[in-house]
């Protein structure tokens, strides 16, 4: 079970980190557009499509990576007060009730949706450049599958926690600056939930 | 049960499940699809169990989040914030401001507030500002024998300005929910943001004048001696790089670049240039910023995937209409409605965070605004002011927890909480002022973009 958790964590992190670099492409791509449009008065035809495709791919694929690091926002003001074992018991039920049905719907419906788009090699209507968007629509299926795998790993985490009474540790990864600072300088540990950032 | 009643059941069921602490975006998605399956059920079309229009609705809503041209600004501004917060710019800024303000009462608190307000213009992220200032200005104030509650109030309140002053992530999220133009919202938030910072400063000055023991004046040895020329040079050198960034962001907003992602990419490029100027852009820091950007963007945007599906099913079942009719039936005057809405948002801010409130609860009020003749832009700025409090009110007062996390062990969480209420009252004062003089928010957008 631990091996599967490790596998899912690294799979999500690999895809997440690879797609994270979209932000750099997006920054420079749209930055270039601003330059040619407002300085040279010669706008590109592709920059708008580029911007939403990079953004959409980034956050959709990032969903599983965020889940692996417990980064999705939860209303946890009661949840935090419970013992880990109670947390895991409630959570495992909710995964089957609220997680898998929605994600399966995303995969199946997303599959049909993008298959239709592949069939006639759909292009974007936003610009005259005929930028293809069928591959972008398939991102939905990819994101769904990654989330499904990661969701199974989260269920495994719950099972381990119910058995041992402790949440298995998350792998080392980049952390928010406030967490780094609190760990380095803090003399007392305060439990700050992972997801209350920004 | 009639359909609108089912919609209300759906909303109540959702609110109850929030309390169980499951990631909210997935709860919204599953409930949207589940209740939608009922709502769109059509026995004549059922060849397989997937022949239900809810699935088309679900993918279409997901795709509209993926190709939304306002939300594209979210990762860009987050990226900018992560790059800038790693660039070590606050130390020098705070020190310089303190030296220049040294003759004022509570000079250090004033310097801390100005640093926070300026830093907020360069990043829309709260946690980092509070911890950075908590490590820098807070020990300095304690050493200068400032009263700990007073000092911690300054850091917590000042650190939260980032979600109000542009480029704030909260306002982008509001723009995507309400369809108000994001650049107009930003233009509208500039004056209220700095007004709130000004009110904080007035409070700090007032308290220090009435009760000098809260913030003792530094002795000459503690500050050191500086000539006027030295101070001016220091101000120029520590301000200049930040000024470039602030100008590029506010300028991009005020001169009206065509799309939000254009303004945001100018900001992100500005952040990178600033980091290079401070010789703070290492490969390691860039990687950290990139990876944190994807995680936080995914957190915000997946909430939209869930909530758009959820809310279209909710209004298809007639829930939205039921709530509107109920509220309109209460026969409230616009001011009563406004106060009620803000009070509900304030109370929701105690247990919940701003992202949940804006994406899930604010849309319930939005369709009612035209009936009461309230400008959604104006309402948005009021909400943004109001949600400052969601970081400051227990049990989920993140600003206080961050500060506690980096402060010396003898500072109690209770002491930090005790410093917060005066700043809360400044937030309420700012909201009242905005209500009496709506021009504070509406004037600048009108000047820049016309009616």
């Amino acid at each position: 079970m631990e091996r599967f958790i490790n596998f899912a964590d690294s799979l999500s992190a690999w895809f997440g980190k690879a797609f994270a670099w979209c932000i750099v492409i997006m920054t420079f791509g749209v930055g270039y557009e601003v330059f040619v449009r407002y300085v040279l008065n010669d706008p590109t035809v592709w920059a708008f499509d580029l911007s939403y495709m990079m953004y959409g791919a980034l956050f959709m694929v990032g969903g599983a990576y965020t889940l692996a690091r417990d980064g999705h926002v939860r209303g946890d003001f009661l949840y935090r007060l419970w013992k880990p074992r109670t947390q895991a018991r409630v959570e495992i039920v909710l995964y089957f009730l609220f997680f898998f049905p929605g994600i399966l719907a995303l995969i199946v419906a997303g599959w049909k949706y993008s298959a239709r788009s592949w069939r006639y090699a759909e292009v974007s209507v936003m610009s005259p450049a005929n930028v293809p968007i069928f591959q972008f629509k398939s991102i939905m299926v990819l994101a769904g599958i990654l989330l499904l795998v990661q969701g199974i790993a989260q269920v495994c985490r719950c099972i381990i926690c119910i058995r041992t009474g402790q949440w298995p540790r998350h792998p080392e990864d980049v952390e928010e600056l406030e967490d780094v600072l609190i760990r380095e300088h803090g003399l007392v540990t305060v439990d700050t939930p992972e997801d209350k950032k920004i | 049960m009639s359909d609108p009643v089912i919609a209300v059941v759906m909303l109540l069921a959702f609110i109850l499940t929030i309390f169980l602490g499951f990631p909210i975006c997935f709860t919204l998605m599953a409930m949207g699809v589940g209740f939608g399956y009922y709502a769109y059920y059509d026995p004549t079309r059922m060849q397989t169990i997937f022949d239900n229009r809810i699935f088309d609705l679900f993918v279409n809503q997901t795709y509209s989040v993926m190709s939304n041209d306002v939300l594209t600004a979210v990762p860009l501004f987050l990226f900018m914030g992560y790059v800038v917060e790693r660039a070590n710019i606050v130390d020098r800024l705070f020190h310089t401001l303190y030296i220049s303000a040294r003759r004022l009462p509570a000079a250090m608190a004033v310097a801390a507030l100005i640093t926070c307000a300026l830093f907020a213009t360069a990043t829309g992220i709260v946690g980092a500002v509070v911890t950075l200032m908590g490590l820098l200005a807070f020990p300095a104030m304690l050493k200068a024998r400032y009263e700990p509650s007073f000092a911690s109030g300054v850091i917590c309140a000042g650190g939260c300005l980032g979600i109000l002053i542009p480029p704030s992530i909260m306002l982008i999220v509001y723009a995507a929910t309400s369809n108000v133009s994001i650049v107009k919202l930003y233009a509208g938030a500039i004056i209220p943001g700095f007004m709130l910072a000004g009110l904080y400063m007035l409070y700090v000055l007032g308290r220090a004048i009435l009760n000098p023991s809260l913030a003792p004046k530094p002795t000459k040895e503690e500050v050191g001696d500086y000539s006027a020329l030295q101070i001016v040079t220091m101000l120029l050198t520590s301000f200049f790089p930040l000024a470039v960034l602030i100008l590029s962001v506010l300028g991009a907003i005020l001169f009206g670049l065509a799309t939000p992602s254009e303004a945001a990419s100018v900001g992100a490029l500005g952040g990178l240039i600033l980091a290079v100027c401070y010789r703070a852009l290492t490969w390691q820091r860039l990687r950290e910023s990139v990876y944190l950007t994807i995680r936080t963007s995914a957190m915000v945007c997946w909430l939209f995937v869930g909530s758009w599906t959820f809310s279209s099913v909710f209004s298809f079942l007639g829930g939205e209409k039921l709530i509107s009719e109920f509220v309109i039936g209460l026969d409230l005057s616009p001011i009563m409605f406004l106060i009620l809405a803000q009070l509900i948002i304030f109370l929701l801010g105690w247990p919940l965070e701003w992202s949940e409130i804006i994406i899930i609860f604010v849309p319930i009020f939005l369709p009612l605004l035209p009936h009461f003749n309230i400008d959604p832009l104006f309402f948005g700025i009021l909400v943004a002011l109001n949600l400052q409090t969601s970081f400051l009110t227990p049990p989920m007062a993140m600003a206080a927890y961050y500060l506690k996390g980096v402060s010396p062990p003898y500072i109690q969480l209770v002491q930090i909480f005790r410093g917060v209420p005066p700043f809360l009252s400044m937030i309420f004062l700012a909201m009242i002022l905005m209500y009496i003089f709506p021009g504070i928010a509406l004037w600048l957008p009108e000047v820049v973009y016309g009616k």
Side-chain angles (χ1 to χ4, degrees):
Chain A
M1 201 159 359
E2 266 142 59
R3 275 187 38 214
F4 180 74
I5 296 178
N6 284 338
F7 161 74
D9 279 359
S10 14
L11 182 75
S12 305
W14 190 86
F15 273 97
K17 287 179 177 175
F19 276 79
W21 291 97
C22 289
I23 187 64
V24 178
I25 304 175
M26 192 174 166
T27 305
F28 284 97
V30 184
Y32 174 76
E33 159 78 1
V34 171
F35 177 73
V36 295
R37 176 189 292 229
Y38 295 94
V39 181
L40 307 182
N41 228 342
D42 176 26
T44 65
V45 287
W46 46 264
F48 181 68
D49 285 305
L50 174 92
S51 74
Y52 74 78
M53 279 184 190
M54 288 297 122
Y55 142 81
L58 174 113
F59 94 83
M60 285 299 280
V61 175
Y65 177 41
T66 311
L67 181 65
R69 300 294 179 276
D70 198 17
H72 282 292
V73 69
R74 358 163 140 233
D76 59 354
F77 53 103
L78 291 178
Y79 177 88
R80 303 165 77 202
L81 307 174
W82 301 340
K83 284 197 212 92
R85 202 166 258 155
T86 323
Q87 291 178 341
R89 282 195 184 123
V90 172
E91 215 167 294
I92 201 166
V93 176
L94 295 182
Y95 264 104
F96 285 100
L97 205 56
F98 291 138
F99 185 83
F100 293 115
I103 296 302
L104 287 173
L106 181 70
I107 297 175
V108 174
W111 178 270
K112 280 195 197 163
Y113 187 65
S114 51
R116 211 178 308 143
S117 179
W118 277 89
R119 231 172 289 135
Y120 54 93
E122 190 180 359
V123 292
S124 165
V125 290
M126 307 277 194
S127 65
N130 288 335
V131 181
I133 53 167
F134 49 90
Q135 81 295 20
F136 178 55
K137 288 188 168 174
S138 319
I139 292 276
M140 241 184 253
V141 182
L142 173 66
I145 292 172
L146 286 173
L147 273 168
L148 183 68
V149 174
Q150 189 61 47
I152 298 171
Q154 297 303 99
V155 168
C156 294
R157 280 206 163 90
C158 292
I159 296 174
I160 292 180
C161 178
I162 293 173
R163 273 196 205 144
T164 63
Q166 260 174 348
W167 284 109
R169 294 176 69 85
H170 284 278
E172 296 260 315
D173 201 348
V174 290
E175 288 178 79
E176 297 274 351
L177 189 61
E178 52 268 31
D179 295 331
V180 177
L181 292 175
I182 288 172
R183 205 186 50 240
E184 283 171 1
H185 300 267
L187 301 158
V188 262
T189 45
V190 176
D191 179 27
T192 54
E194 165 79 12
D195 55 309
K196 304 296 176 198
K197 300 304 147 60
I198 306 188
Chain B
M1 271 197 287
S2 67
D3 280 356
V5 177
I6 299 219
V8 173
V9 170
M10 170 178 172
L11 187 65
L12 290 179
F14 169 69
I15 292 174
L16 282 179
T17 13
I18 289 186
F19 293 100
L20 296 176
F22 195 69
I24 289 176
C25 56
F26 302 122
T27 315
L28 283 167
M29 239 161 77
M31 282 204 173
V33 173
F35 280 88
Y37 200 89
Y38 162 80
Y40 292 95
Y41 185 76
D42 178 1
T44 55
R45 295 179 74 232
M46 293 296 279
Q47 266 106 38
T48 68
I49 53 162
F50 289 110
D51 289 323
N52 187 311
R53 277 190 299 137
I54 179 62
F55 296 110
D56 301 326
L57 177 86
F58 180 38
V59 278
N60 277 319
Q61 292 292 8
T62 309
Y63 189 70
S64 10
V65 181
M66 286 168 74
S67 55
N68 184 290
D69 64 335
V70 175
L71 290 173
T72 46
V74 169
L76 286 167
F77 275 133
L78 281 172
F79 181 52
M80 160 182 167
Y82 283 124
V83 170
V84 172
E85 72 179 25
R86 279 166 174 67
N88 305 324
I89 62 166
V90 275
D91 312 33
R92 262 173 76 195
L93 192 62
F94 173 67
H95 184 67
T96 314
L97 285 168
Y98 171 52
I99 301 292
S100 5
R102 69 192 185 284
R103 300 225 168 78
L104 291 175
M108 237 177 226
V110 171
L113 283 172
I114 301 179
T115 313
C116 286
L118 289 174
F119 197 53
T121 325
T123 157
I125 306 174
V126 165
V129 185
V130 175
T131 41
L132 283 171
M133 292 304 286
L135 281 170
L136 179 75
F138 193 54
M141 286 197 265
L142 293 178
K143 208 172 142 212
R145 298 176 309 281
Y146 278 42
E147 210 272 308
S149 293
F150 180 71
S152 36
V154 169
I155 305 287
C156 291
C160 295
L161 287 169
I163 50 164
L164 175 60
I165 296 177
S168 103
I169 304 291
M170 185 205 273
L171 289 175
I172 306 179
V173 172
Y174 180 81
T177 351
S178 67
N179 286 325
V180 180
S181 136
I182 176 63
V183 280
K184 278 190 189 171
L185 266 173
Y186 275 174
I190 293 175
I191 298 177
F194 286 105
M195 177 182 83
L196 184 62
L199 286 174
Y200 287 165
M201 253 176 264
L202 278 182
Y203 164 74
V204 163
L205 287 173
R207 275 297 292 277
I209 291 169
L210 293 176
N211 185 357
S213 68
L214 279 179
K217 280 220 159 179
T219 55
K220 199 117 208 173
E221 301 84 68
E222 279 173 329
V223 192
D225 213 4
Y226 294 90
S227 70
L229 186 69
Q230 264 177 314
I231 292 178
V232 172
T233 347
M234 278 169 71
L235 274 176
L236 282 180
T237 50
S238 64
F239 262 139
F240 182 69
L242 191 63
V244 172
L245 182 66
I246 293 176
L247 283 180
S248 65
V249 174
L250 293 189
I253 296 164
L254 292 180
F255 294 117
L257 291 190
T259 67
S261 60
E262 287 179 359
S265 72
V266 171
L269 283 175
L272 286 171
I273 294 168
L274 182 77
V276 171
C277 289
Y278 273 91
R279 297 201 181 81
L281 191 70
T282 60
W283 177 241
Q284 175 61 23
R285 285 189 183 140
L286 181 67
R287 273 183 49 206
E288 282 174 13
S289 312
V290 167
Y291 298 160
L292 290 173
T293 303
I294 192 172
R295 264 158 49 186
T296 313
S297 314
M299 179 203 102
V300 173
C301 298
W302 274 92
L303 270 178
F304 275 100
V305 173
S307 82
W308 284 11
T309 309
F310 185 90
S311 60
S312 39
V313 171
F314 182 72
S315 57
F316 179 79
L317 283 169
E320 199 183 291
K321 208 166 147 243
L322 191 74
I323 291 192
S324 312
E325 277 166 6
F326 173 72
V327 175
I328 291 166
L330 289 177
D331 208 18
L332 298 168
S333 65
I335 168 87
M336 276 155 70
F337 168 74
L338 208 55
I339 293 176
L340 184 72
Q342 297 298 332
L343 185 70
I344 293 174
I345 291 169
F346 171 71
L347 292 177
L348 286 171
W350 286 61
L352 300 178
E353 295 299 314
W354 66 265
S355 50
E356 299 143 306
I357 297 175
I358 294 215
I359 299 176
I360 301 155
F361 292 99
V362 167
I364 298 177
F365 296 111
L366 288 173
L368 293 164
L369 296 181
H371 174 79
F372 291 102
N373 217 352
I374 299 169
D375 188 341
L377 190 155
F378 180 73
F379 188 75
I381 310 283
L382 271 181
V383 171
L385 270 172
N386 195 343
L387 286 181
Q388 297 272 315
T389 64
S390 76
F391 286 88
L392 301 170
T393 46
M396 296 307 293
M398 293 323 294
Y401 294 134
Y402 290 139
L403 181 59
K404 171 69 182 149
V406 292
S407 55
Y410 62 86
I411 299 292
Q412 305 287 316
L413 201 52
V414 183
Q415 278 178 302
I416 298 178
F417 280 134
R418 210 177 291 146
V420 166
F423 291 93
L424 289 183
S425 54
M426 287 300 124
I427 296 172
F428 298 139
L429 182 62
M431 290 172 69
I432 294 169
L433 282 175
M434 272 245 329
Y435 182 76
I436 302 173
F437 308 105
I440 297 173
L442 299 176
W443 176 74
L444 196 57
E446 262 170 39
V447 170
V448 181
Y449 297 100
K451 290 250 173 181

